[in-house]
């Protein structure tokens, strides 16, 4: 899974800023919705006006903040000589083609199409792309509004809705009240393969009612078949329960809320997990890198502690300790 965060997007645009500057554009136009994210980033970096496609088609008035002085200013959008039309990625090129066809013939602006991410070359159907990125790919800004959810597992608490507080999580009437009225967080707009939760099976009716009330569509709802919260805590199967299902599901992505469980699910399955709390895609490669860095950090701390300890020893013992330390290092 080739994942890009908001931070990655900003970095990838900045790396190609010279090419964008060379275009001498007067106006940046984003294709809603996903294209607006990179469009606004580009416009901020180039200090140019930015608008959405519909406003551009209507030849509206460009806007700006009251404290911002733009490189070029105009009273109508079609006064721009060179326009950069932006989308986040390119698949077939159909979205860009449709966007261009919607622009009236009366608009005499010179329009350059641009995407940030494109399939590996040859790239057809766009004037400019900033980076090649193979499928499967997913972006932080459309994580919950992407067809890939049909091939994904999602946690519920901390992902679709807020986690219950300690007071709400009483495994009784207060908890049932929470389940019925939990505040929503990320509501997917595509059907999800599986919702995999550590909620107990006895709370299935409340869970199903909440999901239906918020329009969440899914194929499977996987819950823990245990009698009580106490038994769930005793067995401590929070991550393994999710990992076992994810491993055998055939799904390509798990979206989990909590960092510790995300790390464990990645380790247990060898498959990618997106962690909502840290806004990070965890992969087996990432896990190996983190373990390597942790080992290096521990070794560095050992060396520092050892040096300080040797400095406190009498001279004769210090010489012996240094000899042992050098052999170990």
């Amino acid at each position: 899974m080739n994942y890009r965060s908001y931070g990655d997007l900003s970095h990838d645009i900045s790396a190609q800023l010279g090419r964008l500057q060379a275009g001498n554009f007067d106006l940046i136009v984003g294709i809603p919705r996903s294209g607006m994210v990179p469009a606004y980033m580009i416009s901020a970096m180039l200090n140019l006006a930015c608008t959405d496609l519909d406003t551009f088609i209507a030849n509206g008035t460009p806007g700006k903040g009251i404290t911002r002085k733009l490189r070029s200013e105009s009273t109508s959008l079609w006064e721009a000589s060179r326009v950069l039309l932006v989308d986040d990625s390119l698949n077939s090129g159909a979205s860009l083609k449709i966007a261009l066809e919607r622009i009236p013939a009366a608009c005499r602006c010179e329009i350059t199409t641009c995407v940030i991410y494109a399939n590996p070359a040859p790239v057809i159907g766009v004037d400019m792309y900033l980076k090649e990125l193979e499928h499967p790919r997913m972006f932080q800004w459309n994580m919950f509004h992407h067809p890939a959810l049909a091939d994904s597992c999602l946690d519920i608490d901390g992902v679709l809705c807020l986690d219950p507080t300690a007071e709400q999580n009483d495994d009784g009437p207060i908890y049932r009240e929470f389940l019925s009225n939990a505040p929503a967080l990320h509501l997917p707009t595509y059907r999800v393969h599986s919702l995999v939760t550590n909620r107990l099976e006895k709370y299935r009716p409340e869970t199903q009612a909440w999901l239906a009330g918020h329009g969440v569509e899914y194929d499977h709802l996987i819950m823990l078949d245990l009698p009580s919260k106490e038994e769930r805590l005793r067995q401590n199967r929070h991550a393994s329960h999710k990992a076992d299902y994810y491993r055998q599901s055939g799904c390509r992505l798990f979206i989990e809320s909590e960092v510790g469980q995300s790390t464990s699910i990645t380790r247990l399955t060898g498959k990618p997990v997106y962690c909502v709390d840290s806004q990070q895609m965890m992969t087996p490669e990432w896990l190996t890198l983190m373990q390597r860095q942790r080992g290096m950090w521990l070794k560095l701390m050992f060396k520092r502690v050892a040096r300080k300890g040797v400095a406190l020893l009498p001279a004769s013992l210090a010489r012996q300790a240094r000899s042992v330390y050098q052999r170990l290092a």
Side-chain angles (χ1 to χ4, degrees):
M1 181 70 67
N2 288 315
Y3 167 76
R4 288 296 182 271
S5 66
Y6 286 106
D8 295 326
L9 177 64
S10 176
H11 177 273
D12 292 337
I13 292 173
S14 297
Q16 298 293 325
L17 199 58
R19 291 176 59 200
L20 294 167
Q21 288 279 18
N24 293 317
F25 301 109
D26 305 303
L27 177 68
I28 310 300
V29 176
I31 299 177
R33 289 178 309 180
S34 295
M36 296 307 302
V37 180
Y40 275 119
M41 285 189 178
I42 292 171
S43 72
M45 293 179 191
L46 297 182
N47 195 30
L48 295 172
C50 181
T51 190
D52 63 276
L53 178 62
D54 290 329
T55 303
F56 178 73
I57 290 172
N59 193 20
T61 302
K64 67 180 181 69
I66 60 174
T67 61
R68 192 172 188 87
K69 183 178 181 180
L70 299 176
R71 281 168 48 185
S72 60
E73 299 188 25
S74 58
T75 57
S76 68
L77 295 173
W78 289 3
E79 290 179 23
S81 298
R82 295 177 58 81
V83 174
L84 188 68
L85 180 63
V86 180
D87 207 351
D88 62 344
S89 62
L90 179 74
N91 291 312
S92 65
S95 295
L96 282 173
K97 182 179 179 181
I98 292 172
L100 288 170
E101 290 173 348
R102 291 182 58 202
I103 298 173
C107 175
R108 299 301 182 184
C109 305
E110 180 182 342
I111 297 175
T112 300
T113 57
C114 173
V115 298
I116 313 305
Y117 302 109
N119 301 329
V123 179
I124 301 172
V126 66
D127 298 319
M128 176 188 296
Y129 68 95
L130 304 190
K131 191 176 182 68
E132 293 182 0
L133 190 67
E134 292 185 354
H135 284 284
R137 59 194 182 204
M138 184 172 281
F139 308 133
Q140 184 179 356
W141 50 95
N142 66 3
M143 175 75 65
F144 294 93
H145 315 289
H146 194 283
L149 292 178
D151 199 19
S152 302
C153 298
L154 271 66
D155 185 18
I156 296 179
D157 296 310
V159 176
L160 302 186
C161 68
L162 286 177
D163 280 309
T165 64
E167 292 75 18
Q168 290 171 323
N169 198 5
D170 70 340
D171 201 14
I174 299 177
Y175 183 59
R176 288 187 185 276
E177 174 69 17
F178 164 80
L179 294 178
S180 298
N181 300 287
L185 287 177
H186 306 283
L187 296 177
T189 50
Y190 282 85
R191 191 176 186 87
V192 178
H193 183 283
S194 296
L195 302 176
V196 189
T197 175
N198 285 320
R199 291 183 180 184
L200 301 179
E201 185 65 43
K202 63 183 179 180
Y203 297 118
R204 181 175 288 269
E206 291 86 353
T207 300
Q208 289 177 323
W210 187 94
L211 293 168
H214 288 81
V216 179
E217 298 183 345
Y218 56 93
D219 292 331
H220 309 282
L221 175 58
I222 310 302
M223 308 181 78
L224 263 176
D225 192 9
L226 295 174
S228 66
K229 172 187 172 182
E230 286 73 19
E231 182 62 19
R232 180 180 62 194
L233 293 173
R234 188 189 70 81
Q235 292 195 19
N236 192 26
R237 292 176 51 203
H238 298 79
S240 62
H241 161 64
K242 296 172 181 176
D244 289 345
Y245 182 83
Y246 181 30
R247 186 187 301 108
Q248 60 85 28
S249 69
C251 291
R252 293 193 292 181
L253 179 65
F254 198 109
I255 302 179
E256 163 64 33
S257 61
E258 199 265 328
V259 174
Q261 288 192 46
S262 298
T263 304
S264 295
I265 295 169
T266 303
R267 177 176 52 81
L268 290 169
T269 63
K271 300 168 73 174
V273 176
Y274 178 74
C275 179
V276 171
D277 286 357
S278 65
Q279 300 181 11
Q280 183 176 35
M281 185 69 74
M282 299 181 179
T283 64
E285 295 77 17
W286 172 87
L287 195 60
T288 299
L289 178 61
M290 291 300 102
Q291 291 171 339
R292 188 175 302 152
Q293 290 180 346
R294 184 173 180 271
M296 293 172 62
W297 180 84
L298 289 173
K299 186 176 181 180
L300 178 62
M301 290 303 297
F302 168 76
K303 289 182 177 180
R304 288 178 177 175
V305 172
R307 283 198 297 267
K308 289 182 179 180
V310 168
L312 298 175
L313 293 174
S316 58
L317 291 177
R319 284 193 294 271
Q320 296 178 29
R322 289 194 186 93
S323 177
V324 172
Y325 170 78
Q326 289 171 357
R327 288 199 298 270
L328 291 175

